[in-house]
Amino acid sequence: MKSHHPKNRPINDKKEILRWAKSVQWMGLEIIKTKDGLDMDNEGWVEFRAVFIENSLPQQIHEYSYFVKENGTWYYLSGEHK
């Protein structure tokens, strides 16, 4: 929750997110590509693939995520699913 930018933090969905996260078995995370996001940057992009098991079926999230840095802290702002 804290990694989401305050503008889009899903506060009302906290219980549902926690329930879902506990119901899946995470199998791996692959960082495919990054753009910017270094110490001197204020924004950055990460393309990743997260693999998990849900209801005995393999699943994946493939996303291109946008992050911004404010007051020295990185926040997730948005993502586009691939």
Side-chain angles (χ1 to χ4, degrees):
M1 297 298 284
K2 291 180 182 179
S3 66
H4 279 74
H5 192 277
K7 289 182 187 178
N8 70 342
R9 193 170 286 157
I11 295 171
N12 295 333
D13 299 329
K14 185 176 181 178
K15 287 182 182 178
E16 179 60 24
I17 292 168
L18 185 59
R19 183 201 62 74
W20 179 78
K22 288 182 176 181
S23 75
V24 300
Q25 180 182 0
W26 294 101
M27 304 303 291
L29 175 66
E30 174 189 7
I31 304 300
I32 299 167
K33 179 172 48 173
T34 63
K35 180 181 176 216
D36 300 329
L38 301 174
D39 285 340
M40 66 276 202
D41 296 320
N42 289 318
E43 61 183 8
W45 293 262
V46 176
E47 181 180 359
F48 72 90
R49 183 178 294 116
V51 180
F52 59 96
I53 305 288
E54 182 176 24
N55 298 322
S56 301
L57 297 172
Q59 305 285 327
Q60 74 172 355
I61 299 170
H62 184 183
E63 184 174 300
Y64 192 64
S65 301
Y66 175 58
F67 293 83
V68 295
K69 183 168 62 173
E70 294 182 0
N71 300 317
T73 300
W74 285 100
Y75 295 102
Y76 170 81
L77 195 57
S78 64
E80 177 183 319
H81 290 251
K82 298 281 185 174

